[in-house]
Amino acid sequence: MLNRSKAPAIHDAVEFDIRLKPYQHFILDNGVEVYAVDGGAEEVILVEWVFYAGNWYEEKNIVAATANHLLKNGTKTKSAFAINEHFEFYGSFLNRHCYNETATLTLHSLSKHLPALLPVMAELLTESIFPENELAIYKQNQKQRLSVNLKKCDFVATRLIDEYLFGIDHPYGKYTSAEDYDALQQDELLRFYQQYYTQGKGMLFVAGKLPADIQEQLNSAFGQLPVNNTTLPEVHHLPHPATEKKYNILNDPTGVQGAIRIGRPFPNRHHPDFTKAQVLNNIFGGYFGSRLMSNIREDKGYTYGIHSYLQNHVNTSAWVISTEAGRDVCAATIEEVYKEMKILCDEIVDEEELSLVRNYMMGSILGDLDGPFQIIARWKNYVLNNLSGDYFYNALDTIRHVSAEELQALAKKYFNPGDFYELTVV
């Protein structure tokens, strides 16, 4: 029996034996790989199609994003209204997203409604027609949204820093214009859709309270689709970073605030420095107690928030610092960022701060594994980045044991101000 007069022992998160629940793996009749995590207390389920249909594969700007967005806007037998009404009737949520390399079609539903919903998902992947009226509405809405966003310095800065880091012709550096939307044609969307969805390369990620016959249900709905019958084309894009490193853009003459981006190219997750760099990044600017926050927000009061992060791209990455500050203190904010870089290069991180960051990162991982949806999301990230489960445990080991001396060496390697692109949009 518990002795409630005695407080339980307190343990640091780094002492926890964190385990990543393994996935179940099976293959449908047409060769589609399925990764599934069974868990949770409620009768809910996530079914997500992932296709290699991102803007990495498009020949014309925003065709990939538009095709993905309009997947649920009309098939040969159903209107956009009928499709949305069907999923809403069953209390489900169907969404889609387009990324650089991949695009997704994601269903959240009660497990018992899968027999009514999976066949309609399959129909969207084989019978979508991208109606002209739906395309026209999409163009109008997107152009209006773009017009509003272009007045925001933060939006403009996010677009431009990617262009400087990767080049405007690289998928990671592209951005859209009103002219791009005007140039969209229905036949282009249909060709992209048929090549990269109907006959493309796809896989399934499933999580939640899985029905006992989940494999049979998925096979019945999706096992005869013509996906994975053709070879995915090999498409290569080389970054072409800008030659100039510093930019000051006037976007809103009457604005009182400026958006700041400071970034440099960085290797992808397969590089041995990546996980160590995540630890260094958290010390530098990756969480609320970071040095950038303590200095620039708490001490100087230049901004409400400043963050640094490693971009989660598949082929290459970037290390970026992002904030908004008053126009009169933008230059001072940038100066303080470089000061914090120099301190990390010149001085060893003390054990108290390093221990705090270790525990923060381990606690964040624990939170990220809270439920089957979060677990399958991590597995999806590993699968798409061609990583194994060993990556998870190696990362935990790095967080627990990376030394202050290693982090200082990493700072000296990557925190050279001359390597960073610097952008201020006011």
Side-chain angles (χ1 to χ4, degrees):
M1 187 172 181
L2 286 176
N3 181 0
R4 297 190 182 278
S5 65
K6 184 178 180 181
I10 297 174
H11 297 279
D12 286 341
V14 293
E15 300 175 21
F16 295 165
D17 182 23
I18 303 176
R19 314 304 296 177
L20 178 61
K21 183 174 183 174
Y23 58 76
Q24 303 171 36
H25 180 260
F26 51 90
I27 299 175
L28 304 186
D29 289 347
N30 54 358
V32 170
E33 293 191 86
V34 181
Y35 302 86
V37 171
D38 188 10
E42 306 300 329
E43 298 287 339
V44 294
I45 192 168
L46 172 150
V47 178
E48 181 168 83
W49 270 102
V50 177
F51 288 92
Y52 285 90
N55 69 335
W56 190 269
Y57 298 98
E58 66 187 8
E59 296 179 4
K60 183 178 177 181
N61 200 16
I62 66 172
V63 167
T66 304
N68 177 261
H69 184 87
L70 295 179
L71 277 177
K72 54 185 287 191
N73 285 56
T75 68
K76 293 176 181 178
T77 61
K78 293 181 177 65
S79 66
F81 178 81
I83 293 168
N84 284 283
E85 189 176 55
H86 180 79
F87 285 97
E88 288 179 8
F89 176 81
Y90 289 100
S92 62
F93 181 65
L94 183 71
N95 206 357
R96 59 270 183 261
H97 290 286
C98 185
Y99 304 98
N100 294 121
E101 288 83 10
T102 60
T104 62
L105 182 66
T106 310
L107 172 70
H108 291 83
S109 169
L110 293 176
S111 304
K112 65 183 180 180
H113 293 322
L114 285 184
L117 299 173
L118 295 183
V120 182
M121 281 188 78
E123 182 179 343
L124 300 184
L125 299 176
T126 57
E127 304 293 331
S128 288
I129 59 174
F130 307 100
E132 287 282 10
N133 64 316
E134 294 291 339
L135 178 57
I137 293 170
Y138 172 80
K139 289 181 181 181
Q140 179 181 349
N141 290 344
Q142 291 299 106
K143 287 194 294 182
Q144 185 176 11
R145 186 176 290 112
L146 179 62
S147 176
V148 172
N149 284 334
L150 285 174
K151 297 175 183 177
K152 303 174 184 177
C153 294
D154 191 60
F155 177 82
V156 173
T158 300
R159 286 157 59 100
L160 292 179
I161 193 64
D162 286 338
E163 177 192 349
Y164 302 151
L165 287 167
F166 303 107
I168 190 62
D169 294 323
H170 192 279
Y172 299 169
K174 284 182 182 179
Y175 52 81
T176 57
S177 67
E179 291 74 21
D180 289 328
Y181 289 112
D182 288 333
L184 284 170
Q185 300 294 324
Q186 183 191 46
D187 61 330
E188 297 169 332
L189 302 179
L190 285 168
R191 284 197 301 271
F192 187 89
Y193 164 75
Q194 289 162 2
Q195 181 175 3
Y196 292 103
Y197 287 94
T198 304
Q199 299 177 356
K201 181 179 179 182
M203 62 191 78
L204 278 163
F205 294 87
V206 185
K209 202 69 174 289
L210 304 183
D213 63 343
I214 184 62
Q215 185 169 348
E216 290 76 12
Q217 287 199 51
L218 294 174
N219 208 40
S220 175
F222 303 132
Q224 304 307 313
L225 296 182
V227 296
N228 294 356
N229 287 333
T230 57
T231 303
L232 188 73
E234 289 190 19
V235 181
H236 302 283
H237 298 279
L238 295 177
H240 294 286
T243 54
E244 180 64 37
K245 287 291 182 72
K246 296 188 178 185
Y247 297 86
N248 289 282
I249 308 295
L250 179 62
N251 187 64
D252 181 4
T254 63
V256 297
Q257 194 164 255
I260 297 168
R261 299 291 185 276
I262 302 170
R264 60 153 297 155
F266 195 78
N268 67 10
R269 290 177 177 273
H270 290 271
H271 195 278
D273 287 342
F274 194 92
T275 306
K276 293 178 184 178
Q278 288 180 312
V279 180
L280 178 62
N281 177 70
N282 275 288
I283 295 170
F284 178 55
Y287 78 118
F288 196 79
S290 70
R291 294 191 178 191
L292 290 182
M293 288 288 278
S294 297
N295 178 351
I296 297 170
R297 181 186 189 274
E298 302 296 335
D299 182 36
K300 303 295 189 304
Y302 291 161
T303 179
Y304 285 114
I306 181 168
H307 305 279
S308 63
Y309 56 92
L310 298 174
Q311 291 182 342
N312 186 25
H313 293 321
V314 172
N315 288 281
T316 187
S317 184
W319 202 330
V320 180
I321 300 97
S322 171
T323 189
E324 292 180 89
R327 294 179 70 150
D328 58 328
V329 294
C330 282
T333 298
I334 293 171
E335 183 179 347
E336 292 300 322
V337 171
Y338 289 128
K339 281 184 181 178
E340 293 299 334
M341 288 185 188
K342 188 173 189 306
I343 292 172
L344 284 167
C345 292
D346 294 344
E347 301 176 11
I348 290 285
V349 178
D350 66 60
E351 186 54 41
E352 182 180 358
E353 182 180 15
L354 183 52
S355 177
L356 177 64
V357 168
R358 292 191 208 274
N359 279 285
Y360 164 77
M361 294 183 71
M362 297 295 282
S364 296
I365 292 171
L366 277 169
D368 289 343
L369 300 180
D370 184 22
F373 293 177
Q374 289 81 359
I375 294 171
I376 200 65
R378 184 170 288 268
W379 275 119
K380 182 179 73 171
N381 194 23
Y382 292 166
V383 170
L384 296 180
N385 282 277
N386 197 26
L387 300 167
S388 69
D390 290 340
Y391 182 87
F392 176 79
Y393 295 103
N394 291 337
L396 295 183
D397 186 68
T398 298
I399 294 168
R400 290 186 177 110
H401 299 116
V402 63
S403 69
E405 290 76 16
E406 289 177 288
L407 295 177
Q408 184 182 31
L410 208 63
K412 290 179 179 179
K413 182 177 180 179
Y414 292 108
F415 281 172
N416 175 14
D419 294 333
F420 282 84
Y421 290 82
E422 180 185 310
L423 168 65
T424 305
V425 180
V426 296

